[in-house]
Amino acid sequence: MMSNQSNPLRTPKRLIFLLVLMALVVTNIFVLPKTLNIPSQQQANNQAANNEINGNTALPPTPRRRPKLADGCYHVFIDAGANIGMHTRFLLEPSLYPKAWIARKFFVAHFGPEVLRDNRDFCIFAFEPNPIHIARHEEMRSAYSAMGWRYHFFAAGVGDKHDGRLTFYDIGDELGFTTIPKRSCIENKCPQHQVSVYRLSDWVEREVHGRKVPSQGYGGKGYVSGPRVVMKMDIEMGEWLVIPDLITSGALCHIDAIMGEFHLKAQWYLYPATFPNPGGNGRDWTLHNY
C-alpha cells in the first residue's frame, strides 16, 4: 500500500544542496574578489579617470613594420641606368680601373679611402631595363654573392610617374636604349621593348629611407663618418624628369650625393613638364625650356 507521506531521506538532501549553493554565492561575491585582487566596478571607473588625468591613456597598437630591401646595409649605392654595371665595379674593385678617376674620386669623397673600405658594408641596387644586359648582371650578382657582397639587380627602368611599364626604343646610336625616340628612329621603326619601371622617388622612400642601419661598419676605423646613400644616374634624358620629381617629392633629402650624365638636348623633347606642388597645396611646378 502506497503512503502519501514524503520520504524523510529527501529533505536533508535538499537542505545540503541549498547550503552548498549559498556558500558558492557568498564566495563569489565577498571572498574571491579580495583573494584575486579583482577591482570593483567603482574601482575600475576611478582608475580610468586617474589614467585620463595623468595622461596614461592606452596608446593604439603600433602597426607592424614592413621589411625594407636596404635593411642591414651600412652604405647604399643606387645605380640608376647601370648599363653593364661598370660603376659598381669602380666602387667594389677600384684597383682594376686606374683610369676611372672621376668615379673613384667621387666614391672616395663619400665612402672614404679605398684602402679602408670593406665591401661588406655596401648594398648595391642596380636598375637597367636593357634586356641585352640581364645575363651580365645576373653573373655579377652570383659572383659577388659568393664573396659575401650584396648586389641587387632590377631588370627595370626608373621614372617620375607611378610604377608600371614603359616603351623603350633601341635607337642604335650612342644613347642605345631610351624612352624618347628620335625622328630617325620613328621613321625607321626602331625595335621597341616593354619594360618595367619604378618611380624612383617612391622606391627610395619604400626601400631605403628609414632602413635598419648596423651600429658599426666593417671598414677601418674612421674611414667615413656615418652611413651614406649615394646614387649614380645615367638614364638617357630621363634625368630631366626624375631629378625634379626627387626634389618635389622630398626623396632627394634621403640621398647624400648624386653623380651622373646629363643629356643637354633632352629638354627640347621633354619640357614643359609639370610636377605636383611638394606641399600639397598651391600651384604645381612647371619647368620650361627657354
Side-chain angles (χ1 to χ4, degrees):
M1 184 173 177
M2 296 286 297
S3 172
N4 293 329
Q5 223 173 7
S6 60
N7 189 344
L9 296 177
R10 296 174 62 184
T11 301
K13 290 182 179 179
R14 291 178 181 174
L15 182 59
I16 293 172
F17 174 76
L18 290 174
L19 291 173
V20 171
L21 183 61
M22 290 177 64
L24 290 174
V25 171
V26 170
T27 301
N28 283 326
I29 294 176
F30 298 105
V31 179
L32 277 180
K34 294 180 179 179
T35 305
L36 301 179
N37 235 0
I38 300 174
S40 66
Q41 184 61 47
Q42 183 61 42
Q43 290 173 322
N45 292 339
N46 292 341
Q47 184 62 46
N50 289 334
N51 286 340
E52 188 171 351
I53 293 172
N54 297 326
N56 296 329
T57 53
L59 297 175
T62 303
R64 186 174 181 181
R65 180 184 181 276
R66 187 188 68 82
K68 296 176 179 285
L69 290 177
D71 280 344
C73 305
Y74 193 77
H75 294 311
V76 171
F77 174 53
I78 302 170
D79 193 353
N83 200 277
I84 61 173
M86 291 308 301
H87 278 77
T88 292
R89 302 201 69 181
F90 297 158
L91 173 62
L92 301 182
E93 307 171 79
S95 61
L96 299 181
Y97 303 95
K99 295 183 179 180
W101 61 270
I102 295 177
R104 291 177 61 181
K105 185 176 180 180
F106 176 77
F107 291 142
V108 167
H110 298 286
F111 292 134
E114 295 169 352
V115 294
L116 296 180
R117 296 197 306 244
D118 190 310
N119 289 342
R120 293 173 295 176
D121 284 332
F122 294 95
C123 288
I124 291 91
F125 299 98
F127 294 85
E128 175 53 53
N130 193 332
I132 295 175
H133 302 319
I134 291 177
R136 175 181 172 87
H137 284 283
E138 290 298 336
E139 183 180 357
M140 288 176 61
R141 184 197 59 78
S142 178
Y144 286 156
S145 178
M147 302 173 72
W149 303 349
R150 290 169 286 186
Y151 184 76
H152 305 268
F153 171 64
F154 299 87
V158 297
D160 64 310
K161 304 299 182 185
H162 55 78
D163 297 355
R165 298 185 71 80
L166 280 179
T167 300
F168 276 71
Y169 299 87
D170 187 354
I171 59 179
D173 64 6
E174 72 279 1
L175 292 176
F177 210 57
T178 182
T179 59
I180 305 168
K182 298 174 71 173
R183 182 181 300 276
S184 60
C185 181
I186 297 174
E187 293 172 352
N188 297 326
K189 296 183 178 180
C190 296
Q192 301 180 18
H193 303 272
Q194 288 290 317
V195 300
S196 298
V197 64
Y198 292 92
R199 183 186 180 194
L200 187 56
S201 59
D202 284 347
W203 188 89
V204 169
E205 289 281 358
R206 185 171 62 245
E207 303 296 353
V208 177
H209 177 52
R211 74 191 188 278
K212 292 182 178 180
V213 182
S215 59
Q216 187 174 354
Y218 289 98
K221 184 178 180 181
Y223 83 105
V224 67
S225 57
R228 296 283 188 271
V229 177
V230 170
M231 179 186 296
K232 179 228 102 181
M233 182 178 291
D234 184 5
I235 53 176
E236 311 302 345
M237 302 185 187
E239 66 275 7
W240 294 97
L241 297 176
V242 172
I243 290 180
D245 182 56
L246 289 172
I247 296 171
T248 58
S249 67
L252 189 63
C253 298
H254 313 312
I255 300 171
D256 296 291
I258 299 179
M259 69 171 295
E261 180 178 347
F262 277 79
H263 304 81
L264 299 180
K265 294 183 179 181
Q267 62 268 42
W268 294 107
Y269 296 91
L270 301 175
Y271 289 177
T274 301
F275 301 88
N277 183 282
N281 50 16
R283 293 185 303 174
D284 294 339
W285 292 13
T286 300
L287 301 182
H288 298 272
N289 175 58
Y290 294 115

Coordinates of all heavy atoms in Angstrom, one line a residue, residues 26 42 44 55 60 63 74 92 141 169 190 210-211 246 250 254 259:
V26 N 28.2 33.3 -1.7 CA 28.9 34.1 -0.8 C 30.4 34.2 -1.2 O 31.0 35.2 -1.1 CB 28.8 33.6 0.7 CG1 29.7 34.3 1.6 CG2 27.3 33.8 1.1
Q42 N 33.4 50.3 -9.4 CA 33.7 51.6 -9.0 C 35.2 51.9 -9.0 O 35.7 52.9 -9.4 CB 33.1 51.9 -7.5 CG 33.4 53.3 -7.0 CD 32.7 54.4 -7.9 OE1 31.6 54.2 -8.4 NE2 33.4 55.4 -8.2
A44 N 37.3 50.3 -10.9 CA 37.8 50.4 -12.3 C 37.5 51.8 -12.9 O 38.3 52.3 -13.6 CB 37.0 49.3 -13.1
G55 N 47.4 61.4 -18.1 CA 47.8 61.2 -19.4 C 48.3 59.8 -19.7 O 49.1 59.5 -20.6
P60 N 47.2 53.4 -29.2 CA 46.8 52.4 -30.2 C 48.0 51.5 -30.5 O 49.1 51.9 -30.4 CB 46.4 53.3 -31.4 CG 47.1 54.6 -31.2 CD 47.1 54.7 -29.7
P63 N 51.6 49.8 -35.7 CA 51.5 49.0 -36.9 C 52.8 48.2 -37.2 O 53.9 48.7 -36.9 CB 51.2 50.0 -38.1 CG 51.6 51.3 -37.6 CD 51.4 51.2 -36.1
Y74 N 74.9 49.2 -44.3 CA 75.5 50.3 -43.8 C 75.6 51.5 -44.8 O 75.1 52.6 -44.6 CB 76.9 50.0 -43.3 CG 77.5 51.1 -42.4 CD1 77.1 51.2 -41.1 CD2 78.5 52.0 -42.9 CE1 77.6 52.2 -40.3 CE2 79.0 53.0 -42.1 CZ 78.6 53.1 -40.8 OH 79.1 54.1 -40.0
L92 N 83.6 48.6 -56.0 CA 84.0 47.4 -55.3 C 85.4 46.9 -55.7 O 86.0 46.3 -54.9 CB 82.9 46.3 -55.5 CG 81.5 46.6 -55.0 CD1 80.6 45.4 -55.2 CD2 81.5 47.1 -53.6
R141 N 75.9 39.4 -59.9 CA 75.2 39.1 -58.6 C 75.7 37.8 -58.0 O 76.0 37.7 -56.8 CB 73.7 39.1 -58.9 CG 72.9 38.9 -57.6 CD 71.5 38.4 -57.9 NE 71.5 37.2 -58.6 CZ 71.7 36.0 -58.1 NH1 71.9 35.9 -56.8 NH2 71.6 34.9 -58.8
Y169 N 63.0 52.3 -76.7 CA 63.4 52.2 -78.1 C 64.9 51.9 -78.2 O 65.7 52.6 -77.6 CB 63.0 53.5 -78.8 CG 61.6 53.9 -78.8 CD1 61.0 54.6 -77.7 CD2 60.7 53.5 -79.8 CE1 59.7 54.9 -77.6 CE2 59.3 53.8 -79.7 CZ 58.8 54.5 -78.7 OH 57.5 54.8 -78.6
C190 N 62.3 51.8 -85.1 CA 63.3 51.1 -84.2 C 62.6 50.1 -83.4 O 61.4 50.2 -83.1 CB 64.0 52.1 -83.3 SG 64.9 53.4 -84.2
G210 N 64.7 55.2 -43.8 CA 64.3 54.5 -42.6 C 64.7 53.1 -42.5 O 64.2 52.3 -41.7
R211 N 65.8 52.7 -43.3 CA 66.3 51.3 -43.2 C 66.9 51.1 -41.8 O 67.3 52.0 -41.1 CB 67.3 51.1 -44.3 CG 68.6 51.7 -44.1 CD 69.5 51.7 -45.3 NE 70.9 52.1 -45.1 CZ 71.2 53.4 -45.1 NH1 70.4 54.3 -45.3 NH2 72.5 53.7 -45.0
L246 N 62.4 63.8 -57.7 CA 63.1 63.5 -56.4 C 63.0 64.8 -55.5 O 62.9 64.7 -54.3 CB 64.5 63.1 -56.7 CG 64.8 61.8 -57.3 CD1 66.2 61.6 -57.7 CD2 64.3 60.6 -56.4
G250 N 60.5 65.1 -52.1 CA 61.2 65.1 -50.8 C 62.2 63.9 -50.7 O 63.0 63.9 -49.8
H254 N 66.9 62.2 -48.7 CA 67.4 60.9 -48.2 C 68.6 60.4 -49.0 O 69.0 59.3 -48.8 CB 66.3 59.8 -48.2 CG 65.0 60.3 -47.7 ND1 64.9 61.0 -46.5 CD2 63.7 60.3 -48.1 CE1 63.6 61.4 -46.2 NE2 62.9 60.9 -47.2
M259 N 75.9 61.5 -58.7 CA 76.7 61.8 -59.8 C 76.0 61.2 -61.0 O 75.2 60.3 -60.9 CB 78.1 61.2 -59.7 CG 78.1 59.7 -59.8 SD 79.8 59.0 -59.9 CE 80.4 59.6 -61.5

